Amino acid sequence: MRHLSILGYYFAQYIKVRLAYPGDFLISVFTSLAGTVASFGFLYILFHRVSSLQGWAFEELLFIYGFNLVCLGLFNVLSMNLYEFGERYIMEGRFDQIMLRPLHSLFQVIFEAFRIESFQEFATGLVVVVYVWHKLDLPLTPLDLVLFLLMTICGVTIYLSVFVMLSTLSFWFEDRVGVSPPVFNMIAFGRYPVTIYNVFIQFLLSWIIPFAFASFYPTTYFLQRHEFSSFFALVPVVAATFLVLALILWSRGVRGYQSTGS
Amino acid sequence: MAVIEVSRVSKRFKTYDRKEGVWGGIQNLFRRNPREVKAVDDVSFTVDAGEMVGYIGANGAGKSTTIKMLTGILVPSSGSIRANGYVPYRDRHQYTRGIGVVFGQRTQLWWDIAVVESFQLLKRIYDVSDRTFEEQLEVFDAVLNLKPLLYTPVRKLSLGERMRCDLAAAFLHRPRIVFLDEPTIGLDVVAKENIRQFLKRINAELQVTVVLTTHDLSDIEELCRRVLIIDRGHLLFDGSLEGLRERFECKSQIVFELREPGQVDFGRLGFNSTVEFQQLDALRCQAVFDKKQVASAELIKAIVNSLAVRDVMLDDTTIEEIVREIYSRGEVVTR
C-alpha cells in the first residue's frame, strides 16, 4: 500500500514536470503516434499482397500485434530509466541517493521517470484487440477477461525482466553498454507467429530472450489455436522465472556497486 | 553508549588503468590492467550517541569511502560496521530509516520539482506523520529560513539555498544519526554560519549523532569536540580537539610592537631557554614558544613590564597547521 501511494506520487510529480513544457510533450505524443500508425500501415500493405501468412489470417496477426502493443506500451511507460541506467545512475553516481532511501532500489529507478506518451501505444493496442475480438467473433467469458489481464501482466513482466538484466550489466561494466537497442529491436520478432521462423530463431525467442512468451504464445489461447496450449500455460512460469532471475542479478549488482569518487 | 562501531574496516577497489590515445583505447578493449587501490585500510573507531564528530583528511584520503560504507552504499572489503544496531549494507531498508545523509557535492532532492514536493515525497518514503512533518518544517524554517524557497524547483536554487534544503531533507524523518559529507563546500561565510548554527541546535536539542567530513577546519573547530584524521586510508588521529593541539607541539607566537624603534635585549625577559625571540624589524618582535612549557599570560606580563610596547598580539597554532604537520609526518597516532 505504501509503495502504491509513493508510486502515485512519483507519477504525479513526473507528469507535472513533463507538462511544464507542453509543446515538447505534444510533439513527443505525436511522433510516438506516427510510429504506431506507420507500423500498422506496414502490416496492411503486406497483407494487400499476400492473403495469409502460413495459415495466419490478417485479423489474427492484427490481434497479436494489438496485444503486443498493449504490453509494449505499458513497458515503454515504465522502462525509460532502464535504458539510461548506466549513464544516469552509475556513471553520474546518482545511484548513491537511491541507496540511501528505505525503498527497493529497482522500484525507485523505474519509477523516477515515465515515458508518458507511450500510453498511446497501450490505448491503440487495446482498440485493435477489441476490434479483432469483435470481428472474428471470439468467445468472451469473464475467465477470458481475467486471463487477458494476467497475460498482459506477464508480458510486461517479461519485457521488464529482460531489460533489467541488461541494465544490471552497468554495475560491472561502467562503460556504456550498447546491448539494449538491438535486443529492443528483437521485440518486433515476437509480433509474428513463431512458426514462420527457422528453428534457431524459434528457440531464441522462446527460451533465451523469451519475447514470444510476451506476445505470440499468450494470444494463441484467445485465437483458439489450441495446438499451442502447453506454451500458453507456461507463460506465467516463464514470466515469474525471468522476474526472479532479474531480481537476483540486480541485488548481486547492488552489492558490487562501487560508487564514484567523492 | 556507542551508536556507531567500526572495527578493522578496509575497502579495496579494483580499477583498470587505461592507456591513452586511440591506439591505447583499442588495446584497452582486449587487455585490461587491473590494479587494486586501498581506499580505507584497517580503520577502527566508535561514536557515542549524541556526539558530533569531525572526520577530516585531504582529497582522496578515504573520507567519502568511509562515509559511504557507514551509510550502506558500499560494502566493506573486510572488517565490520554496526550502526544504530544494524549492519548498514545488509539491513539497508531498516537502517536508512534512522539516518540522514547530506552530500555537499550532490543533492538528495529531485532536480526538477519544487522543494516542497521533494519534501512531500520524502515524507511518504519515510512514513513521516503529518504532525511531525509540520513541526519539523517549522523548526527548520526558524533556523534555515526555508519558507521562501519551498516553491522553487531545486535546479533554480543557489548552492547555499540548495544546501539549506538538503539539510532540512536529511533531518525530516528525525534520524538518530546524520552523516554530512562536505556540507559547507563552496558556500560563502554567511551560508556556512547558517548551517553551523543549525547543526549546533539540532545536535543539542534532539541529541542527534552527527558525523561530518570537511575540508574547512573552521567547521570542525566550531562544531566538533572530537576529530578523526584519516590520510591515505589510515586513521592517524582519534581524540579531542584539545588533545590534538596538546599532542602536537603547538607553537604559539606573540608578536609585539615597540613604542620606539630600537634594539631589544631579550635576555632581560628571563625566558631565554624556553622562548625563541626574534626581532622582525625596528619596531616589531616575535616570540615563539610552546604552550605546554610557557604560560602565555606570564610571557605577556614579562614583555609588558620590561619593555615599552604599544601592541601585543597572541597567535595560536590553527588546527590547519597541525593537520598539515600530521600529514607531512604521516605517523599513526591513535588514542
Side-chain angles (χ1 to χ4, degrees), chain A residues 2-3 5-6 9-10 13-14 16-17 20-21 92-105 108 112 172-175 254-262, chain B residues 11-14 18 32 64 68 71-75 89 92-94 96-97 99 101 103 105-110 112-113 116-117 120-122 124-127 155 181:
Chain A
R2 174 167 152 263
H3 280 74
S5 106
I6 294 170
Y9 206 80
Y10 267 121
Q13 287 314 317
Y14 192 78
K16 239 189 264 179
V17 171
Y21 307 97
E92 285 177 24
R94 280 183 23 166
F95 201 64
D96 284 5
Q97 65 191 47
I98 297 287
M99 298 277 276
L100 295 172
R101 299 189 190 123
L103 273 181
H104 195 281
S105 47
Q108 293 182 66
E112 273 194 356
W172 292 282
F173 307 103
E174 278 183 21
D175 301 328
V254 170
R255 281 206 60 166
Y257 175 57
Q258 292 217 338
S259 191
T260 52
S262 91
Chain B
K11 179 70 190 177
R12 292 179 293 272
F13 288 109
K14 204 184 262 178
R18 289 172 200 224
R32 307 211 288 175
S64 290
K68 282 177 184 172
T71 50
I73 293 174
L74 293 176
V75 184
Y89 73 88
R92 224 161 36 74
H93 281 223
Q94 300 97 307
T96 47
R97 281 174 175 273
I99 63 165
V101 185
F103 287 122
Q105 313 267 31
R106 195 172 285 138
T107 182
Q108 306 296 301
L109 304 169
W110 287 265
D112 290 312
I113 60 180
V116 70
E117 309 275 17
Q120 285 285 350
L121 196 43
L122 289 171
R124 284 173 174 73
I125 290 176
Y126 288 98
D127 269 334
R155 68 184 139 81
D181 195 10

Side-chain angles (χ1 to χ4, degrees), chain A:
Chain A
M1 246 354 265
R2 174 167 152 263
H3 280 74
L4 265 181
S5 106
I6 294 170
L7 167 60
Y9 206 80
Y10 267 121
F11 191 67
Q13 287 314 317
Y14 192 78
I15 291 205
K16 239 189 264 179
V17 171
R18 281 304 299 276
L19 290 184
Y21 307 97
D24 175 65
F25 180 68
L26 283 178
I27 288 172
S28 61
V29 171
F30 181 76
T31 45
S32 172
L33 201 62
T36 313
V37 169
S39 57
F40 274 111
F42 171 73
L43 207 63
Y44 182 76
I45 291 168
L46 185 75
F47 272 84
H48 209 66
R49 305 255 168 206
V50 287
S51 56
S52 82
L53 197 62
Q54 284 193 4
W56 294 81
F58 176 60
E59 279 80 11
E60 286 178 302
L61 284 198
L62 213 52
F63 188 88
I64 302 174
Y65 214 97
F67 174 77
N68 178 251
L69 266 187
V70 168
C71 298
L72 194 63
L74 289 177
F75 163 73
N76 282 341
V77 170
L78 296 175
S79 64
M80 191 158 167
N81 266 346
L82 289 181
Y83 301 115
E84 291 167 36
F85 178 69
E87 206 165 326
R88 279 174 71 127
Y89 288 86
I90 302 294
M91 288 168 82
E92 285 177 24
R94 280 183 23 166
F95 201 64
D96 284 5
Q97 65 191 47
I98 297 287
M99 298 277 276
L100 295 172
R101 299 189 190 123
L103 273 181
H104 195 281
S105 47
L106 184 56
F107 178 93
Q108 293 182 66
V109 169
I110 290 181
F111 295 135
E112 273 194 356
F114 303 89
R115 194 180 288 108
I116 299 168
E117 56 270 26
S118 286
F119 273 121
Q120 160 275 126
E121 292 163 31
F122 170 77
T124 313
L126 211 55
V127 168
V128 170
V129 165
V130 170
Y131 165 77
V132 177
W133 211 307
H134 179 76
K135 180 102 188 272
L136 295 183
D137 205 16
L138 299 170
L140 183 62
T141 64
L143 177 69
D144 291 329
L145 282 180
V146 171
L147 283 176
F148 189 83
L149 186 67
L150 177 70
M151 287 303 123
T152 306
I153 293 171
C154 288
V156 177
T157 305
I158 287 173
Y159 289 139
L160 275 176
S161 304
V162 168
F163 286 93
V164 164
M165 285 191 224
L166 294 179
S167 302
T168 51
L169 293 178
S170 305
F171 280 115
W172 292 282
F173 307 103
E174 278 183 21
D175 301 328
R176 238 163 279 180
V177 185
V179 288
S180 287
V183 176
F184 186 82
N185 290 332
M186 280 182 58
I187 288 179
F189 286 96
R191 286 177 185 158
Y192 300 95
V194 283
T195 46
I196 70 168
Y197 300 114
N198 67 35
V199 183
F200 170 73
I201 295 181
Q202 282 191 32
F203 185 81
L204 180 75
L205 284 178
S206 301
W207 308 112
I208 310 293
I209 304 173
F211 289 154
F213 276 103
S215 51
F216 172 64
Y217 293 132
T219 55
T220 55
Y221 173 84
F222 306 107
L223 292 171
Q224 310 281 309
R225 296 278 189 155
H226 295 304
E227 64 267 36
F228 295 101
S229 61
S230 49
F231 285 99
F232 175 78
L234 274 178
V235 170
V237 180
V238 171
T241 310
F242 272 76
L243 180 64
V244 169
L245 282 178
L247 289 176
I248 290 175
L249 208 60
W250 179 268
S251 56
R252 283 264 175 108
V254 170
R255 281 206 60 166
Y257 175 57
Q258 292 217 338
S259 191
T260 52
S262 91

Side-chain angles (χ1 to χ4, degrees), chain B residues 6-262:
Chain B
V6 175
S7 107
R8 312 212 58 176
V9 161
S10 299
K11 179 70 190 177
R12 292 179 293 272
F13 288 109
K14 204 184 262 178
T15 61
Y16 296 95
D17 288 336
R18 289 172 200 224
K19 296 189 174 152
E20 59 176 32
V22 178
W23 177 236
I26 295 168
Q27 281 178 293
N28 283 338
L29 286 176
F30 302 102
R31 198 185 317 139
R32 307 211 288 175
N33 304 308
R35 187 166 55 99
E36 207 175 60
V37 180
K38 263 194 178 178
V40 171
D41 192 4
D42 200 15
V43 164
S44 306
F45 60 87
T46 60
V47 178
D48 286 340
E51 253 192 308
M52 184 115 104
V53 178
Y55 196 59
I56 52 185
N59 281 328
K63 284 177 304 193
S64 290
T65 305
T66 313
I67 294 288
K68 282 177 184 172
M69 286 193 283
L70 286 172
T71 50
I73 293 174
L74 293 176
V75 184
S77 305
S78 64
S80 72
I81 299 178
R82 272 196 94 76
N84 225 1
Y86 297 108
V87 176
Y89 73 88
R90 201 191 58 203
D91 315 318
R92 224 161 36 74
H93 281 223
Q94 300 97 307
Y95 177 61
T96 47
R97 281 174 175 273
I99 63 165
V101 185
V102 174
F103 287 122
Q105 313 267 31
R106 195 172 285 138
T107 182
Q108 306 296 301
L109 304 169
W110 287 265
W111 200 241
D112 290 312
I113 60 180
V115 175
V116 70
E117 309 275 17
S118 273
F119 287 175
Q120 285 285 350
L121 196 43
L122 289 171
K123 169 181 179 290
R124 284 173 174 73
I125 290 176
Y126 288 98
D127 269 334
V128 179
S129 72
D130 290 340
R131 233 188 92 209
T132 314
F133 184 74
E134 293 299 326
E135 280 173 16
Q136 292 290 84
L137 274 193
E138 283 304 317
V139 174
F140 299 151
D141 182 54
V143 196
L144 296 171
N145 192 22
L146 281 185
K147 291 245 162 89
L149 309 177
L150 286 180
Y151 297 94
T152 316
V154 175
R155 68 184 139 81
K156 288 194 177 157
L157 297 176
S158 75
L159 187 61
E161 291 169 337
R162 204 207 79 202
M163 190 50 70
R164 271 145 64 196
C165 296
D166 253 318
L167 270 178
F171 283 92
L172 206 58
H173 51 290
R174 296 196 168 154
R176 298 311 308 149
I177 312 175
V178 171
F179 299 95
L180 307 162
D181 195 10
E182 311 267 7
T184 58
I185 198 161
L187 299 186
D188 64 42
V189 184
V190 180
K192 272 186 190 172
E193 194 44 39
N194 255 330
I195 282 169
R196 287 174 189 161
Q197 287 311 321
F198 174 75
L199 290 176
K200 266 188 194 166
R201 230 179 113 172
I202 294 281
N203 175 252
E205 284 172 15
L206 301 171
Q207 288 297 299
V208 181
T209 310
V210 178
V211 176
L212 98 120
T213 79
T214 178
H215 267 103
D216 185 348
L217 293 160
S218 55
D219 281 348
I220 306 265
E221 277 183 279
E222 259 201 57
L223 294 173
C224 308
R225 250 156 273 133
R226 183 173 155 215
V227 283
L228 302 168
I229 300 179
I230 188 169
D231 189 41
R232 277 162 278 172
H234 296 278
L235 198 60
L236 295 186
F237 180 84
D238 174 359
S240 68
L241 211 51
E242 299 85 63
L244 184 67
R245 277 223 179 81
E246 248 169 51
R247 186 143 205 165
F248 297 90
E249 2 172 325
C250 306
K251 298 272 190 201
S252 300
Q253 64 167 8
I254 291 176
V255 175
F256 51 96
E257 206 178 306
L258 305 169
R259 267 185 214 284
E260 274 154 26

